[in-house]
Amino acid sequence: DTEVTQTPKHLVMGMTNKKSLKCEQHMGHRAMYWYKQKAKKPPELMFVYSYEKLSINESVPSRFSPECPNSSLLNLHLHALQPEDSALYLCASSQDSLTGGDSTDTQYFGPGTRLTVL
Amino acid sequence: GQNIDQPTEMTATEGAIVQINCTYQTSGFNGLFWYQQHAGEAPTFLSYNVLDGLEEKGRFSSFLSRSKGYSYLLLKELQMKDSASYLCAVKLFFGTGTRLTVIP
């Protein structure tokens, strides 16, 4: 099973809402990632989890709060977002996490959650 | 800091060969990845180079020169389904991406 799943596929939320994005993988990977992708732009790294611990935070605003409950799950909690946060949010996983971001292993991406903030 | 550049758009004809370039200046290097991303879909892995030289995988090949901070992805016998964005990546950071359009 080389699949990374993400839910929901689409999400529309107001600026005062609280919502969560979920990501799951069953490949035994120990590194998991959140990326944000705007239209016609490359993915931008947000967070890296290595062995369930946050190893990289790319100066992401606190209205985005990641959580890794176990080695298969990764959540992104959203609160008080702005319209400019509307984007495709991609989750990825990879085998090697010992170097916490210096991984030489291939990343497997989920299909993403298309987020619209009104 | 990370600076990874690619041409923004390219157009090529079905059956032809196209080369997509990537130049990088990064703080550290442990290999370069190429991913393909179709519109509205997730990136999928194409190739990984860590040593200088050419890696061939079917219709796709990837080349790396570490001394020049340069890589390219070579796509042969282009098919319409190859129309997509191609992204190079170093140390979890992606290049600007190249949107390739294959025309009949």
Side-chain angles (χ1 to χ4, degrees):
Chain A
D1 181 7
T2 58
E3 189 179 24
V4 177
T5 59
Q6 290 187 244
T7 55
K9 285 190 167 52
H10 301 274
L11 178 63
V12 179
M13 61 187 290
M15 289 189 283
T16 58
N17 292 156
K18 284 185 183 181
K19 296 286 185 183
S20 296
L21 310 185
K22 296 186 185 303
C23 173
E24 190 167 5
Q25 57 88 14
H26 294 287
M27 295 178 277
H29 289 173
R30 303 315 298 265
M32 295 186 77
Y33 313 82
W34 281 114
Y35 284 87
K36 171 183 176 181
Q37 187 174 26
K38 303 281 273 185
K40 298 187 179 182
K41 296 289 186 184
E44 296 175 20
L45 184 66
M46 299 175 73
F47 301 105
V48 179
Y49 271 83
S50 170
Y51 281 83
E52 300 154 52
K53 292 193 184 326
L54 183 65
S55 61
I56 294 178
N57 176 342
E58 284 291 313
S59 303
V60 179
S62 59
R63 57 186 185 268
F64 296 91
S65 174
E67 178 198 19
C68 190
N70 60 56
S71 59
S72 299
L73 292 173
L74 186 66
N75 298 323
L76 186 63
H77 302 299
L78 315 172
H79 174 53
L81 294 194
Q82 304 296 311
E84 58 264 30
D85 296 322
S86 298
L88 180 69
Y89 288 83
L90 292 163
C91 172
S93 70
S94 68
Q95 181 68 42
D96 176 24
S97 65
L98 292 177
T99 50
D102 255 3
S103 176
T104 58
D105 287 317
T106 302
Q107 290 180 296
Y108 293 84
F109 284 85
T113 293
R114 178 76 58 190
L115 174 67
T116 302
V117 182
L118 301 176
Chain B
Q2 322 290 344
N3 191 14
I4 307 172
D5 288 318
Q6 302 177 236
T8 305
E9 296 194 21
M10 299 183 72
T11 301
T13 305
E14 193 175 13
I17 298 173
V18 71
Q19 178 175 310
I20 301 174
N21 295 326
C22 171
T23 58
Y24 63 90
Q25 290 177 304
T26 56
S27 53
F29 179 83
N30 59 355
L32 186 143
F33 290 87
W34 282 97
Y35 289 87
Q36 179 191 59
Q37 186 176 27
H38 284 98
E41 297 182 12
T44 55
F45 169 78
L46 289 177
S47 69
Y48 171 64
N49 293 68
V50 65
L51 299 176
D52 290 351
L54 188 69
E55 295 275 345
E56 297 189 73
K57 195 185 288 187
R59 293 191 298 116
F60 292 6
S61 303
S62 55
F63 172 84
L64 176 67
S65 169
R66 288 172 296 172
S67 62
K68 295 182 180 176
Y70 168 69
S71 175
Y72 67 73
L73 180 70
L74 195 70
L75 291 74
K76 302 175 189 174
E77 301 168 14
L78 280 173
Q79 302 175 9
M80 299 299 290
K81 67 178 182 179
D82 297 329
S83 292
S85 288
Y86 292 85
L87 302 155
C88 62
V90 176
K91 291 175 74 72
L92 304 179
F93 294 92
F94 283 85
T96 46
T98 299
R99 277 196 307 281
L100 174 66
T101 302
V102 180
I103 57 175

